[in-house]
Amino acid sequence: MSHVANSKGRGGFIAGFLILPLALYLTFVIWPYIQTFGYSFTNWTGQSPTFDFVGLDNYSALLKDEVFRGALLHNLLLLVFVPTVTILISLFFAFMLNAGGRSGAGGVKGVAGSALYKVIYFFPQVLSLAILAVLFGAVYRSDEGGLLNGFLTKLGLVDPAHPIEWLNQPNFVLWCLLLVVVWHGVGFYLVLFSAAMQSVPKDIYEAALLDGAGRAQTFFKVTLPLLWDSVQTSAVYLGIAAMDMFVLVSTMTSGQFGGGPDHHSEVMATVLMRNFLYFGKAGYACAMGVVMLVLTLILSAITLRATRREHVEF
Amino acid sequence: MTTVVKAPGEAAAEKRSAASGQPRGKSKSGSDGMVLNVFSHGFLAVWGILIILPLIWLVLGSFKTDVQIGESALSWPANWHFDAFPRAWDKGIGSYFANTLIVMVFSVPLTMLLGSMAAYVLARYPFRGNRPIYYFFVSGAMFPVFLALVPLFFMVKRLDMLNTFQGLILVYVAYSMPFTVFFMHSFFRTLPTAVHEAAVIDGASHTRIFFQVMMPMAKPGLISVGIFNVLGQWNQYILPSVLMQPQTGSDPERYMLTQGLIQLQYQMGYETDLPVLFAGVTIAMIPMLVVYLSFQRQIQAGLTSATLK
């Protein structure tokens, strides 16, 4: 590398290769990120070219904004449930796939056909959220034509004359959306955990088996500690997804940019978009963006700290 | 957990050896394993059905009539109507599909080229400011896109590129930069220096070495990150829904496919023609299914390794 590093035309080459990517990235990503902080201290409407500096007014208005506070609460609820439910189900299935088979002389084995299961489970991951929104909009339909109501009617659990209005029930709507996120995510995290499990050397399992450990014991004492890094990473990713939720809420629930019924499914992202594109409060929307950033950073820090364990080398 | 990305052949070979390598010895704890096996297959099958059933149900819906869809969810198409597909195509799905393709024909190669260029220089040329620039690129992946939306809209507006393909292309490329640079950076670092040095001794220029030596060698990495970018940009919804709105009444609709589907959902809600909506979703799903089934090993490996790094 040394003479490469010193050869002719090196400086120009480096600059030439970096300038375009950097320029694009600065213009469309970094500069808007920075500007958001500035705009969040103004009363800019987005329409007029002029605006005033209003200090922390937007932030104090946010604190009093009932809708935003509700949205924040919903985001926090999702923040707890989306990672917990998704990770538990994916861990369970990943363990089933890799150690749920018959135990043979060779030690614990995965079930037959685990590759096929993985192919099927992972598929939702490549579908766009827009497709999921339409699909589950149809599944949750409030008449017998909806898959869920159709099934429940067939089983006699729902009165055909009064099917359940899943997405219009204030108490259900958020959980209905949670199910979509879990349905979408499990396959991905299962594959992720599965890959991590397969990178654990087989002899560790064999040693545990020889020592007389059962499957449950093997899972909690051997597998889980070795997977801890991936579980932790997954919690952060799922937490970030739970802070967003824009596509599903805005397209599946009622109201301008979703959030209905009566703000029961509101999340911060939908409130932000409504204030920006519908109410024309660009400065106020920017303040919400900053709050979302701060919460995301806090969340990542907490997750990484709370889940910190001795790193296991193998 | 460094390089989980494998060539398909390699991965398949590994799978074969995993399947045959272990002796299928007699069941030691026979009944225990048996019960557990049935138990695990039971759970696994139920989840499999939960994934597939709604998708098949939706596709079947595009062959039904609107009345039949509304009457009962569990009916089999009475008469197989195929006309919802051409109707969905004419309702805009065709042009939304074309719009998405036009954008991606430019955005994906440009992402790969610019991302690789930056990653290559940052990975293999030590210079002052190298680390800060690298972290600068990678840090973009940490922030929620909502943080940038409002100023981004006005930035694109100022450049007179709202509701234009070139505007969206540039924005897609910029927002794909963090992941692409991150991934290709670690890939270029693993390539041997000997080949590079040989090329230098032969008198090849830096640029020529990049295009004729390094890029071909980085092909497996390029494929993985390429698939990731195709999936990410194809499925993008928030960026186009802010940037691709007709600005005046006479502006053409340059919706992306994801936006178009949501648009179709609203429209069909009024016109009560659900088979058209279902057919539209089916059309949108087919390319993803094809891409996924052809590259599923690489997709799974690529996405997981990217997350774990």
Side-chain angles (χ1 to χ4, degrees), chain B residues 32-52:
Chain B
D32 162 53
M34 186 66 153
V35 170
L36 197 83
N37 197 29
V38 172
F39 175 75
S40 21
H41 269 298
F43 273 106
L44 291 167
V46 166
W47 189 265
I49 290 168
L50 283 179
I51 297 293
I52 294 182

Side-chain angles (χ1 to χ4, degrees), chain A residues 1 7 10 25 28 31 36 44 46 96 100 103 109 117 119 121-122 128 141 144-145 183 202 215 293, chain B residues 22 29 36-37 40-41 44 50 69 73 124 126 136-137 140 143 147 154-155 175 197 206 235 274 292:
Chain A
M1 202 83 148
S7 59
R10 183 174 167 275
Y25 184 63
F28 293 110
W31 183 230
T36 300
W44 190 32
M96 285 282 159
S103 37
K109 279 203 318 213
Y117 283 125
V119 172
Y121 291 0
F122 198 86
S128 66
R141 265 177 67 144
E144 262 187 273
W183 185 88
K202 283 268 182 287
R215 258 172 237 260
L293 168 74
Chain B
Q22 272 182 17
S29 49
L36 197 83
N37 197 29
S40 21
H41 269 298
L44 291 167
L50 283 179
I69 290 177
R124 300 188 76 103
F136 184 64
F137 266 121
F143 304 121
L147 184 68
F154 291 103
M155 172 65 77
Y175 280 83
E197 277 162 10
H206 294 292
N235 291 337
L274 279 175
Y292 174 59

